[in-house]
Structures are given as structure tokens and as C-alpha cells.
Amino acid sequence: MSADMSGLVIRDRPSPNHDSRGDVIAGTPRIDMLVLHYTGMQSGAAALDRLCDPEAKVSAHYVVEEDGAVWRLVPEERRAWHAGVSYWLGETGLNLSSIGIEIVNPGHEWGYRGFPEAQMEAVEALCGDIVARRRIPAHRVVGHSDIAPTRKSDPGELFDWPRLARAGVGLWPPPAAELGRRRGRGVGIVERAAALADLARIGYQVEPGNEVPPLVAFQRRFRPERWDGRLDGETAGRLAEVRQAVEVALAAVDAAKRDRFRGYRRVN
Ligand SMILES: [Zn+2]
């Protein structure tokens, strides 16, 4: 059992389902993504059993129960098996570079419901600690559905991404007030093309003829009032807002890299 400065208490429940992150030559493995899930099972106990079952071959680094209890299943240095076939910003196989958190919730199959306050407090503290320690940029905190939109819908439209963003975890630019009036309104060919380019720039895998799954994933996360996969005026406007926030986050990462490089030259 260990507690960090936020008072978060983490208990160990080791899972055998992990392997090496592999990056031996470069030294420390690169960990620069955080992936949030819901368990999608009828109870937290059932989810913990499955995530620790060698036959199931699935796991996560952490599980957060509805009462706020936090379990560590896999050490962060090891690769947990939570993301599966996945894509973000041109990268695939994201278990390698990510930390995965399973948040207990029955999910859309068993009676999807809101995430209780005690659980969200623990999620916020755990994520805040991880992104600070690992310096995970805001645009690289994602939901499972963002990186596997044709297969997954977790953590889903009831998850409080704005709350996490206020705590410094992930991106959630506040939507412009007038955007809501464009909900349901059609867009022209030019605006549609620009919006799909924004969707790809944010990180989603966008394939011609298969735009609906990433659009649904985007809407669940950034326009949860309606996630029908239709590229309406509000979705297009929201895509532009989020894409701009991603550009700012990317520029901040570049600036940090330049600062590190300057420091390197100074000491040499
Ligand atoms: Zn998941």
C-alpha cells in the first residue's frame, strides 16, 4: 500500500498479464500516453478477476472502483494489455507507450451510468499524479474509443472529461456559446473536408468511407449531447476548436524539447 501527496491510497493486486516495454537500447521506455477505459462488466470484483486471469490475457495498470478504491495491477514500467489494436496521431500498438486505467462501470452493455463522485475524485488524483510524473502532454490523454473507435465506446459520453481538464489532465477547450445553434445543421463540401482534416490532425484514424466511428468517438468526448456520427455544423465547429487546442499542446511539447536541447548544449 502506498499513498502519494494527494492522499491517494493505492493497493496492489498483481496481474500476470504484462510484458516488457522492450526499449532496452534507449534506456528508459518512453511512456507518453494515458488511456482511460471503463470495465464494462457487471461488478468491479468480476472485472478485477478477469484482469488478473492469465487465460483472459487482458490487464491495465490501475483499476478505480466506484467507491474510489484504487488497485495497481501492473507496474508502470511494464506493458499492460489494455488498448489492443489502436491508433493515435500516426502511431499504432499503443500499449507500448501508454499507461492504462480501467474505471469500474457496467458500460453500455450492462447499464451504463454516471461515474460517482468518490470514483471521479480518485480518477482525478491518479491521473493528475501520472501526467505530472510522466510529463504526458494534454493531447495524449485519450479514451479507449478515441484510439479504437470501430471496436470501443469507453469510457463513454457520461465521463466527465471537462472536470479532468480543469485539473490539468487532458484537453477539453470550452465550446463557444454560439456553437450549439449549429447542432443538426448541415455543412458544405468544403467545411466537411476541413472538419475531417481536423479530426485526423487531432489524432483519430480517419479512413475514406469509414468516417462515422471516429466522428462518434469525437462526439462522445467533446460534444456528448449528441453522438450520432453526423458531421453537423456544431461538430465541425467543435472539431476546429479542439484542433486548435491540439496545435497549442503540440507547440508546447516542441518548445519543451528545444529548452532541453539548449540545456544540453550549455553543459557540453
Ligand atoms: Zn477499454
Side-chain angles (χ1 to χ4, degrees):
M1 191 142 95
S2 59
D4 73 0
M5 283 188 299
S6 67
L8 183 69
V9 175
I10 299 176
R11 284 174 289 178
D12 286 307
R13 164 110 189 220
S15 166
N17 300 330
H18 56 83
D19 58 9
S20 168
R21 290 193 188 263
D23 195 4
V24 178
I25 294 164
T28 335
R30 179 178 59 97
I31 297 171
D32 63 0
M33 283 192 84
L34 180 60
V35 182
L36 304 189
H37 304 256
Y38 66 45
T39 49
M41 294 185 68
Q42 282 168 302
S43 74
L48 279 164
D49 283 346
R50 179 169 157 76
L51 292 164
C52 294
D53 176 1
E55 301 282 304
K57 294 188 163 51
V58 292
S59 61
H61 293 93
Y62 299 97
V63 171
V64 182
E65 297 209 67
E66 287 185 302
D67 65 0
V70 180
W71 299 94
R72 174 172 31 227
L73 277 60
V74 173
E76 292 181 9
E77 293 69 28
R78 301 284 292 171
R79 175 167 66 176
W81 304 337
H82 56 96
V85 175
S86 48
Y87 173 102
W88 193 246
L89 274 170
E91 285 176 46
T92 56
L94 300 170
N95 280 338
L96 193 63
S97 53
S98 65
I99 289 173
I101 300 176
E102 287 280 0
I103 303 163
V104 171
N105 187 291
H108 294 84
E109 196 175 343
W110 298 104
Y112 189 43
R113 56 183 182 229
F115 298 83
E117 173 61 23
Q119 187 179 37
M120 285 307 297
E121 278 176 22
V123 167
E124 185 180 317
L126 178 63
C127 292
D129 173 59
I130 291 169
V131 300
R133 267 192 296 109
R134 300 282 177 187
R135 297 202 180 110
I136 296 175
H139 66 290
R140 297 182 68 82
V141 178
V142 296
H144 198 187
S145 59
D146 294 321
I147 60 173
T150 57
R151 300 186 298 119
K152 295 293 175 179
S153 47
D154 58 317
E157 62 282 356
L158 297 179
F159 188 71
D160 195 348
W161 289 103
R163 172 190 181 140
L164 285 197
R166 284 194 297 275
V169 176
L171 279 184
W172 208 89
E178 67 272 14
L179 254 194
R181 287 199 292 277
R182 298 179 60 195
R183 187 174 307 162
R185 286 201 207 157
V187 296
I189 291 171
V190 172
E191 192 177 5
R192 182 177 173 82
L196 291 174
D198 286 342
L199 190 61
R201 178 63 173 158
I202 292 164
Y204 293 90
Q205 184 165 30
V206 185
E207 292 170 316
N210 197 24
E211 295 97 350
V212 170
L215 278 170
V216 170
F218 173 83
Q219 290 170 333
R220 279 190 206 275
R221 175 144 177 208
F222 292 104
R223 206 278 303 268
E225 296 80 10
R226 192 195 285 188
W227 38 277
D228 53 6
R230 208 178 139 227
L231 182 45
D232 61 0
E234 186 184 30
T235 303
R238 193 72 180 119
L239 277 159
E241 288 178 340
V242 175
R243 196 259 304 151
Q244 280 162 19
V246 168
E247 301 293 356
V248 171
L250 284 167
V253 170
D254 285 347
K257 275 188 192 145
R258 278 198 303 277
D259 285 349
R260 277 203 293 281
F261 184 60
R262 271 199 290 275
Y264 175 79
R265 287 177 57 178
R266 252 199 315 277
V267 295
N268 285 281

